[in-house]
Amino acid sequence: MIVFVVLLFSCKEHKQEFVRNDANGAALGTTYSLIYFSEQTLDLKLQIDSVFTVINQSLSTYIPESDISKINRGDSTLVVDTMFQEVFELSKEVNKTTKGYFDPTVGTLVNAWGFGPGKQIALDSSKVDSLLKYVGFNKVSLTREHRIKKENSNIYFDFNAIAKGYAIDRLAVMMNNYGIHNYLLEVGGELVAKGINPNKNKSWVVGIDDPQVIEGRQLKLMIKLEDKAMASSGNYRKFRVDESTGKKYVHTINPITGYTKNGTTLGVTIIASSCAEADAYATSFMVMELKEVKMLLNNNKTLEAYIIYLDNNGETQEFMTKGIKELIVE
C-alpha cells in the first residue's frame, strides 16, 4: 500500500507539461505556420529564418546570386552544398521511378510558358520541340567534386516542385536537433507532423482542400498525420490566362511533351516519409495518367495517395490508397 502511494506521487511529480510555441511568416514565395511544443517557451524565429535563407541561397531561381541561378547561367565550377546534392539525388530517384514525368530540368519550359523568373515567349509546336532538347535529367550529372555537369549550357534547373517540401524537412531536422518531439510544420500547404498535439493528447489532424472550390477554401477530407509528411498539388489555384486569346494555361508542365497539362486530374495529395518526396510525387501524379499512377503506387508501398479526378463522363471521382482510408477522421 505504501509503495502504491509513493509511485502515484512520483508520477504526478514528473508529469511533463508542454508549452505551445508558434511561428508564422512569409518565405519561399508563400507563408508558413509552425506549431511546436517544448518544456518551456522556446523562440526559434531566428533559426527558422536561417533555414529559409540557406535554402533560398542554394535552390531559389528567383535570387540572381543563388547557387542554382549561377548554375543556370552556365557556371560549371561551383561546388554545390549538401542541400543541393540531396535535392539533386532525390530528384534523380523520382525521375527514374516516374519514368521522366518528374524532371527539374524542365525550367526552360517553365519560363517559356510564363511560370518562372525567366522570359515568357510565344510558343508553337516547333518552338516547344526546340526547347525540349534542353530537358532531360539524363543530360545532367553530379560529379565526385560536387559540381553540376550539363550536356548543354542552356539546360535550366527548376527545383520548385521539390524545394518547398525539402525546406520543411530541414525545419523538422532543426526541431529534432532541439529535442522537440511534438510539432506540426506547414509551409504553403505542405506539412510535416511528428508526435502528437499535447493540448489534446491526440494525433495531429489536418485537412485536404477541395480542388473544385475556387473562391476561399473548403475541406474535402480530414485525416490524422502521424510522424509523416503530406504534400498536395493541383492546377486550381495556379494558372494564367492569355489576355489576347482568353486561353487558360495551368502551371503543371509535362516534361515529356513540353506542354502544360490540362488533364482530368484535379488534385493530388501524397503522404510519405519526407515532404520533399511527397512534394515531388504529388507534382508527378498531376501529369501522369491515373492508370500509370496506380501501377507506381502498387509497386511503391511507402507512398499513400488521395486523388480527385474527372471520369470519362466529366463526373468527379476519388481514388485513395488503403493507408489514406485508415487515416480519415469522420
Side-chain angles (χ1 to χ4, degrees), residues 6-62:
V6 171
L7 289 174
L8 182 62
F9 177 79
S10 177
C11 288
K12 187 174 182 181
E13 277 290 297
H14 292 89
K15 181 180 179 182
Q16 192 170 18
E17 298 292 340
F18 290 99
V19 176
R20 171 172 169 158
N21 305 276
D22 292 83
N24 302 278
L28 307 181
T30 185
T31 60
Y32 68 86
S33 176
L34 315 180
I35 302 170
Y36 55 99
F37 287 84
S38 54
E39 295 180 25
Q40 57 188 4
T41 301
L42 185 60
D43 185 358
L44 296 177
K45 185 67 166 62
L46 290 177
Q47 292 86 339
I48 292 165
D49 288 344
S50 178
V51 170
F52 287 126
T53 297
V54 295
I55 291 288
N56 274 329
Q57 183 56 40
S58 182
L59 300 170
S60 176
T61 56
Y62 290 88

Side-chain angles (χ1 to χ4, degrees), residues 113 120 122-123 240-249:
W113 282 108
Q120 178 184 336
L123 292 175
R240 70 173 181 83
V241 178
D242 190 298
E243 293 181 358
S244 59
T245 65
K247 188 173 181 179
K248 178 180 175 181
Y249 293 95

Side-chain angles (χ1 to χ4, degrees), residues 88-276:
F88 185 95
E89 293 297 343
L90 179 56
S91 296
K92 182 178 179 180
E93 177 185 325
V94 179
N95 174 267
K96 181 179 179 180
T97 304
T98 62
K99 298 181 180 179
Y101 281 106
F102 180 77
D103 196 329
T105 65
V106 78
T108 299
L109 284 162
V110 172
N111 289 330
W113 282 108
F115 293 106
K119 184 180 179 181
Q120 178 184 336
I121 61 176
L123 292 175
D124 55 25
S125 58
S126 61
K127 190 62 178 176
V128 169
D129 287 343
S130 69
L131 293 178
L132 275 173
K133 65 184 179 182
Y134 306 131
V135 178
F137 218 72
N138 61 319
K139 300 174 183 177
V140 296
S141 59
L142 178 63
T143 70
R144 293 181 182 178
E145 296 78 24
H146 303 147
R147 294 183 173 92
I148 298 299
K149 184 178 179 181
K150 301 189 291 186
E151 284 187 8
N152 189 300
S153 61
N154 290 319
I155 293 175
Y156 189 102
F157 285 98
D158 185 338
F159 285 121
N160 286 336
I162 191 173
K164 187 169 59 173
Y166 181 76
I168 305 174
D169 291 334
R170 297 311 305 171
L171 289 171
V173 170
M174 184 199 73
M175 294 290 174
N176 296 340
N177 289 341
Y178 274 92
I180 299 170
H181 304 296
N182 300 293
Y183 54 73
L184 180 65
L185 314 179
E186 180 265 332
V187 180
E190 321 293 35
L191 299 157
V192 168
K194 184 174 181 180
I196 62 171
N197 181 345
N199 279 352
K200 299 181 178 180
N201 198 33
K202 292 181 179 180
S203 302
W204 295 102
V205 176
V206 301
I208 298 175
D209 281 346
D210 186 338
Q212 292 177 296
V213 176
I214 304 300
E215 297 295 330
R217 299 182 67 181
Q218 183 173 315
L219 297 180
K220 193 78 172 177
L221 285 182
M222 298 287 286
I223 64 171
K224 294 181 292 184
L225 197 60
E226 302 175 345
D227 297 333
K228 291 287 186 178
M230 185 179 90
S232 298
S233 186
N235 290 321
Y236 48 98
R237 296 188 188 277
K238 193 171 182 180
F239 58 86
R240 70 173 181 83
V241 178
D242 190 298
E243 293 181 358
S244 59
T245 65
K247 188 173 181 179
K248 178 180 175 181
Y249 293 95
V250 298
H251 80 287
T252 301
I253 295 172
N254 186 330
I256 296 174
T257 66
Y259 288 89
T260 60
K261 179 73 174 184
N262 213 350
T264 56
T265 301
L266 303 178
V268 176
T269 295
I270 299 294
I271 294 178
S273 57
S274 75
C275 202

Side-chain angles (χ1 to χ4, degrees), residues 71-85:
I71 291 168
N72 284 338
R73 289 197 298 269
D75 189 340
S76 59
T77 65
L78 188 143
V79 176
V80 296
D81 59 22
T82 301
M83 291 176 295
F84 197 110
Q85 294 170 43

